[in-house]
Amino acid sequence: MKSALLASIRFRPKLVDSLRGYSRDDLRADISAGITVGVVALPLAMAFGIASGVKPEQGIFTAILGGFLVAALGGSKVQIGGPAGAFVVLLYSIVERYGLGGLLLSTMMAGVLLFAMGALRLGNLIRFIPVSIVIGFTNGIAVIIALQQVKDFLGLDIPKMPANFFSQLSAIGGALDTVNWSALTLGIVSLAIVVLWPKSYQQNDARWRVWMANLPGTIVVLVLATLAVSVGGLQVETIGSRFGGIPQSLPPLQLPSLDWETAQRLAIPTLSIALLGAIESLLCARVADGMTEDRHDPNQELMAQGVANFAVPFFGGIAVTGTVARTVTNIRSGARTPIAGIVHCLTLLLIVLALAPLASDIPLATLAAILLSVAWNMGDWGEFARLRQFSINYRAVLLSTFLLTVVFDVTVGVQFGLVLAALMFIFRISSLTRVEELMLPAVHARTADGKHVAAYRVFGSLFFGSVTKLEQLLDPERAKADILVLELHQVINLDTTGLDALQTLHRMLARRGGRLVIAEANEQPLSLMRRSGFLRELGPDSVFDDLQAALATLSGASAVGTAAATDVPA
């Protein structure tokens, strides 16, 4: 059993296939793209680390080690892994409630879950999550990220931002009289540069303007803002004043504290990180597929994400997942293989080793401006304007997921959204199930010995959400038939609850001397009835493959069709 399970696990990174026929042109393209993405990733990694409630270097180390493992072991050729905006709200709340040690342990356990999901080939199940839930929690996360940046963007005197939505609003409102106008001005200018920089040069064909257009606006604003603080002497909060700067070395290997009691308390956060990481990474891989001619392996990608999330906490790193913005930048920069993702990690590493001391003067207002831009770009805000075009079910799921994500957290939002979507789906499928009475001619309405025969045609699916339609046949006020014929040709699915309803109907008829007859059942319902022993309970003279044959046999009249007793076990 164990050996069969291990044999079914297929671990084959895309890197292995990509190296076949790898050329010098491929290497040049990957190096160019990797350097570009590495430069783009630097401010984002720091910003996501700070927004998640940890130090900026922890975000950078997550991008370096986590990004390397995702690129080397993943199931996509061009996906870039690292800290992501989708995790910010969740990780911040975990740090607030369980501390940094709890976050690291939870991330490791989530890594184990992600690897198990990939090994068990559950990658495609993530695609079953409705798009309304994805849009709802993504927009909700964007709102929370933006709200968390208000403190640094305005330079407010708030010692520690709370994790709760209403507490955040209260803290911001109570500190509005402490606005740092230098920080606010720097934040506004930084945001304007980030937003307008790419558009300023892309319409001109001059070579230097094309080069400027390809230079990331986040790096431009980071350099200019740092110069404004170090040379201009702006009195704003910086990475150095809050965190003491960024170390010019790699983090030491350290084992997070492990104990069973803490692990039990972290069960929900662990599931949240694993689910969110799986959704985000596979959605990102699908975006990459749409921009390239490649197709990712979702199970291999989950296993790579699992390895990355298990490994990075040993170096103080936080949760890793696929990152859409950096992956898109990687593709547009000409990346061809996972080598580009590896180069992106090496670029970040070299920047840290060579330029870490310069990071002390990076103003937090500028990082807040960068995250405000990220929050705006990650949200699908036009979907709110289009809501009236969709069904009430779609609107209810999207809005409830969005509001619960904002007010509580992404875990509550996604869980409630999934439950609500499932309930609405069950209701809709059950509403499609119907039972119609067939008007029988007099010759078929009674048997040779005078028993009353009634026939019904069932449409849809007989499952736990629709069995009430079948139970209507047991209504005492309905005219009681001695023999009940159910034509099931239009029934596409039967579950154990539907089977139980059929058994109840059969036994009730048997108690009053009648019987239940099944006609034209499809293979799936027939298979379940056969395996459960229900066909044996009915008897070979109560199952037919043709309705007319069933009626003719019961009434003793001639008809075209034959009994299908061959499918009934002896």
Side-chain angles (χ1 to χ4, degrees):
M1 177 74 176
K2 185 182 295 185
S3 59
L5 178 61
L6 292 175
S8 67
I9 298 177
R10 182 181 181 272
F11 191 89
R12 187 177 180 84
K14 279 283 186 178
L15 180 61
V16 175
D17 298 324
S18 300
L19 292 178
R20 293 179 179 175
Y22 194 72
S23 66
R24 202 173 281 179
D25 288 339
D26 294 332
L27 180 60
R28 279 196 293 265
D30 285 337
I31 290 177
S32 175
I35 293 174
T36 301
V37 180
V39 172
V40 170
L42 177 65
L44 295 178
M46 288 191 294
F48 288 141
I50 295 171
S52 299
V54 298
K55 295 180 179 180
E57 62 263 29
Q58 291 178 267
I60 296 176
F61 295 145
T62 301
I64 294 173
L65 179 57
F68 175 82
L69 292 172
V70 168
L73 305 177
S76 171
K77 285 186 177 180
V78 292
Q79 176 141 290
I80 301 296
F87 275 128
V88 165
V89 181
L90 177 60
L91 302 189
Y92 190 86
S93 63
I94 294 174
V95 171
E96 282 286 295
R97 187 173 301 179
Y98 303 103
L100 179 60
L103 173 61
L104 299 181
L105 179 57
S106 184
T107 302
M108 290 178 62
M109 294 192 298
V112 175
L113 280 181
L114 282 166
F115 188 90
M117 290 169 63
L120 296 175
R121 312 193 68 76
L122 301 180
N124 288 324
L125 294 182
I126 303 298
R127 300 189 180 191
F128 294 164
I129 296 178
V131 67
S132 53
I133 293 178
V134 174
I135 294 174
F137 82 72
T138 302
N139 286 8
I141 289 170
V143 169
I144 293 298
I145 291 175
L147 184 62
Q148 288 179 337
Q149 305 318 305
V150 173
K151 169 185 177 294
D152 290 331
F153 191 79
L154 300 179
L156 299 179
D157 185 14
I158 302 175
K160 181 72 173 178
M161 276 290 283
N164 179 269
F165 173 72
F166 293 109
S167 298
Q168 288 177 340
L169 291 178
S170 177
I172 292 171
L176 285 178
D177 57 343
T178 65
V179 172
N180 183 326
W181 294 102
S182 296
L184 176 58
T185 302
L186 184 60
I188 293 174
V189 173
S190 299
L191 183 59
I193 293 175
V194 170
V195 173
L196 299 177
W197 179 266
K199 299 178 176 62
S200 301
Y201 295 100
Q202 62 187 5
Q203 301 300 326
N204 197 291
D205 292 333
R207 181 174 298 178
W208 72 273
R209 289 180 178 268
V210 172
W211 182 85
M212 292 289 281
N214 292 327
L215 185 65
T218 52
I219 291 299
V220 173
V221 75
L222 209 62
V223 172
L224 294 178
T226 303
L227 288 174
V229 171
S230 59
V231 178
L234 288 180
Q235 297 301 307
V236 295
E237 195 170 16
T238 64
I239 285 180
S241 63
R242 182 181 295 182
F243 302 103
I246 295 177
Q248 197 175 8
S249 62
L250 293 176
L253 176 64
Q254 52 187 355
L255 182 66
S257 58
L258 301 172
D259 65 87
W260 179 241
E261 183 179 351
T262 303
Q264 286 179 306
R265 288 188 286 122
L266 292 171
I268 298 301
T270 296
L271 288 172
S272 301
I273 292 175
L275 178 61
L276 187 57
I279 295 172
E280 192 72 11
S281 63
L282 295 185
L283 284 177
C284 178
R286 289 177 64 183
V287 171
D289 286 350
M291 299 178 66
T292 63
E293 296 181 358
D294 189 46
R295 286 295 175 267
H296 74 282
D297 181 345
N299 300 307
Q300 181 64 41
E301 187 62 35
L302 287 183
M303 286 190 284
Q305 298 287 341
V307 173
N309 279 282
F310 182 80
V312 293
F314 287 103
F315 299 90
I318 57 178
V320 180
T321 188
T323 57
V324 176
R326 277 157 277 175
T327 298
V328 171
T329 301
N330 192 38
I331 296 171
R332 290 177 176 171
S333 300
R336 299 181 183 179
T337 73
I339 296 296
I342 295 175
V343 172
H344 131 270
C345 301
L346 296 177
T347 302
L348 280 172
L349 179 60
L350 290 175
I351 291 174
V352 169
L353 295 179
L355 305 175
L358 301 178
S360 295
D361 288 331
I362 294 176
L364 297 182
T366 296
L367 292 179
I370 292 173
L371 282 184
L372 284 173
S373 174
V374 170
W376 175 259
N377 290 326
M378 74 182 291
D380 189 358
W381 310 110
E383 198 67 13
F384 288 130
R386 294 190 294 269
L387 278 179
R388 63 178 61 189
Q389 303 174 11
F390 299 100
S391 67
I392 185 65
N393 292 357
Y394 181 90
R395 282 178 273 175
V397 172
L398 191 152
L399 290 175
S400 61
T401 303
F402 170 75
L403 292 174
L404 290 173
T405 297
V406 172
V407 175
F408 294 100
D409 58 51
V410 65
T411 306
V412 176
V414 171
Q415 288 175 346
F416 185 86
L418 285 172
V419 171
L420 184 61
L423 290 175
M424 289 182 169
F425 176 77
I426 291 169
F427 175 77
R428 182 172 183 180
I429 295 300
S430 65
S431 67
L432 297 176
T433 301
R434 66 184 192 275
V435 180
E436 294 182 355
E437 184 173 5
L438 301 176
M439 303 306 296
L440 300 180
V443 67
H444 293 318
R446 292 196 176 273
T447 63
D449 55 357
K451 290 185 177 181
H452 178 214
V453 178
Y456 294 88
R457 178 172 287 124
V458 185
F459 298 84
S461 178
L462 284 177
F463 72 116
F464 64 90
S466 64
V467 291
T468 53
K469 305 289 181 70
L470 202 60
E471 291 171 352
Q472 294 174 3
L473 301 181
L474 305 176
D475 188 349
E477 298 181 1
R478 185 184 293 268
K480 296 181 180 179
D482 299 301
I483 299 177
L484 198 62
V485 181
L486 294 183
E487 197 259 83
L488 303 182
H489 180 64
Q490 301 296 330
V491 174
I492 59 175
N493 178 68
L494 175 72
D495 73 351
T496 52
T497 305
L499 176 65
D500 181 72
L502 290 177
Q503 291 172 327
T504 301
L505 189 60
H506 162 67
R507 289 162 188 167
M508 180 172 287
L509 289 167
R511 281 197 297 269
R512 62 178 189 234
R515 64 182 171 127
L516 176 67
V517 175
I518 300 296
E520 299 188 28
N522 288 314
E523 180 56 33
Q524 190 277 332
L526 199 63
S527 174
L528 179 58
M529 289 188 282
R530 182 188 300 115
R531 287 182 282 110
S532 66
F534 182 54
L535 292 186
R536 185 181 293 108
E537 185 179 348
L538 284 176
D541 58 344
S542 295
V543 183
F544 295 82
D545 64 0
D546 184 85
L547 176 62
Q548 293 302 319
L551 295 175
T553 300
L554 293 171
S555 63
S558 62
V560 178
T562 57
T566 55
D567 284 330
V568 184

